[in-house]
Amino acid sequence: MVSSPHEAMHRIFQEYPELFTGVSRILGLDFAPPTSVTVLPTDLTEARPVERRVDTLLRFDTEDGDSFLLAVEAQGKKDPAKPASWAYYLSYLYAKYQLPPLLLVVCQDRATAEWASRPVTIGPGQWPALTLRPLVAGPHNMPVITDPAQARKDLAMATLSAITHAADPSVDGILKALSTALRDTPETIAHPIVELTAQGLGTRPAAQQWRKLVAVDLSFFTSPMSEELRDEGRAEVRAEVLPMVAEAILMFLEQRGIDIPDDARERITSCDDPETMHHWLTRSATAPSAEAIFDQA
């Protein structure tokens, strides 16, 4: 089954490390283009019974010969204990790898993003020893990508756009642009995008929209994740459309003055097969009785 948005918010940087280049530019930072990116172990536990794990950890080696570490944390809500953990992560990483560490926090709501963006000073007020300054990506600064051509140029950024704006009204346009861009994308490339988007949306209403788009726009995909989303999307479409068809059948019969027994009414309103309902709808215009719509001839 599709997992939580937390997984998608950081794992997208493991799948598409080059995404950080675009995110950093949006955030007004200038990093040299990477020549290589290495996914590093996320376990920061010391030899003591306190386990500490960063969500995603990457090493970037750049064209100008510099290297740095990128720790990506997915943050779903405000957590007063997190800044201390983040400061520990960065100190530990610097001590272990002797490379400058950077923290990127990915959020899906503005309040959490604003909270995470605030610098946190550690130490006495007279002379703070450390200052924690996370980079934050969220709905307040990530682009709203609703143009399929723009989405096609950078599928990873379009996916992050959908994830960070999952709770915004604009997400419907982002998802439509993304599904349109994926129509002519090889399935091996599109599959992780479909999966990450589904994970990132979680149980929000936009997840229903994504399932429907996968069911309709991407119906030719055959991956297990696509099949799962497609089946869920079809079920939701049936749940919305079939009651309206049943209502139309009953209305046609009633307007023609045809009596509808309780058992016939129950059979019509409980049917969940679209082809059968279409047949009954067609028959309801001419059938001499309610029971006659069920005839196959």
Side-chain angles (χ1 to χ4, degrees):
M1 295 296 292
V2 175
S3 61
S4 69
H6 180 279
E7 182 78 6
M9 283 194 285
H10 71 85
R11 192 164 68 84
I12 189 173
F13 289 91
Q14 293 182 26
E15 298 288 342
Y16 307 98
E18 69 278 5
L19 176 62
F20 179 68
T21 300
V23 171
S24 64
R25 288 172 182 165
I26 292 171
L27 299 179
L29 301 175
D30 183 20
F31 288 95
T35 56
S36 67
V37 179
T38 306
V39 179
L40 301 176
T42 60
D43 191 348
L44 308 184
T45 307
E46 293 186 279
R48 55 178 180 170
V50 178
E51 183 175 306
R52 300 179 186 271
R53 291 182 183 272
V54 66
D55 287 334
T56 284
L57 180 61
L58 304 172
R59 171 177 172 151
F60 282 75
D61 298 309
T62 68
E63 290 181 350
D64 57 13
D66 291 333
S67 300
F68 65 93
L69 303 177
L70 177 67
V72 184
E73 283 279 284
Q75 192 66 28
K77 61 182 180 180
K78 299 177 184 179
D79 183 354
K82 268 296 182 180
S85 296
W86 291 339
Y88 171 87
Y89 296 165
L90 297 180
S91 298
Y92 178 90
L93 291 172
Y94 183 69
K96 179 177 182 178
Y97 292 99
Q98 292 296 301
L99 290 173
L102 190 62
L103 173 64
L104 174 65
V105 182
V106 184
C107 306
Q108 290 182 298
D109 69 274
R110 294 175 183 272
T112 302
E114 291 174 359
W115 164 81
S117 299
R118 298 169 186 164
V120 177
T121 56
I122 300 173
Q126 301 92 324
W127 192 272
L130 297 172
T131 300
L132 176 70
R133 297 179 60 208
L135 291 173
V136 178
H140 65 302
N141 58 11
M142 288 297 100
V144 175
I145 299 178
T146 56
D147 179 3
Q150 185 181 1
R152 192 175 293 110
K153 289 180 180 179
D154 194 339
L155 292 171
M157 182 63 75
T159 304
L160 184 64
S161 176
I163 292 172
T164 54
H165 294 280
D168 291 355
S170 60
V171 72
D172 287 349
I174 299 172
L175 295 177
K176 183 59 180 176
L178 184 55
S179 67
T180 301
L182 291 176
R183 288 178 188 172
D184 54 0
T185 300
E187 188 170 354
T188 53
I189 297 175
H191 173 242
I193 296 293
V194 171
E195 179 183 358
L196 283 166
T197 303
Q199 287 180 336
L201 298 175
T203 59
R204 290 177 170 83
Q208 298 178 3
Q209 173 71 4
W210 184 240
R211 285 193 288 268
K212 293 175 185 177
L213 289 170
V214 172
V216 177
D217 291 354
L218 307 177
S219 59
F220 48 87
F221 282 5
T222 58
S223 68
M225 174 62 69
S226 298
E227 290 290 350
E228 177 187 329
L229 294 172
R230 188 176 303 119
D231 290 343
E232 293 176 358
R234 287 170 179 162
E236 290 175 1
V237 170
R238 286 198 298 270
E240 292 179 3
V241 174
L242 291 185
M244 293 188 289
V245 177
E247 184 178 348
I249 293 171
L250 297 174
M251 181 185 67
F252 285 155
L253 294 174
E254 291 170 351
Q255 287 183 343
R256 294 178 57 222
I258 294 178
D259 181 61
I260 307 174
D262 289 344
D263 57 344
R265 185 181 297 273
E266 172 64 22
R267 185 174 177 183
I268 293 169
T269 56
S270 62
C271 181
D272 62 357
D273 181 63
E275 291 186 6
T276 300
M277 291 292 279
H278 177 74
H279 172 72
W280 292 351
L281 180 62
T282 302
R283 296 274 299 167
S284 66
T286 58
S289 66
E291 291 84 353
I293 72 169
F294 305 134
D295 295 341
Q296 295 300 315

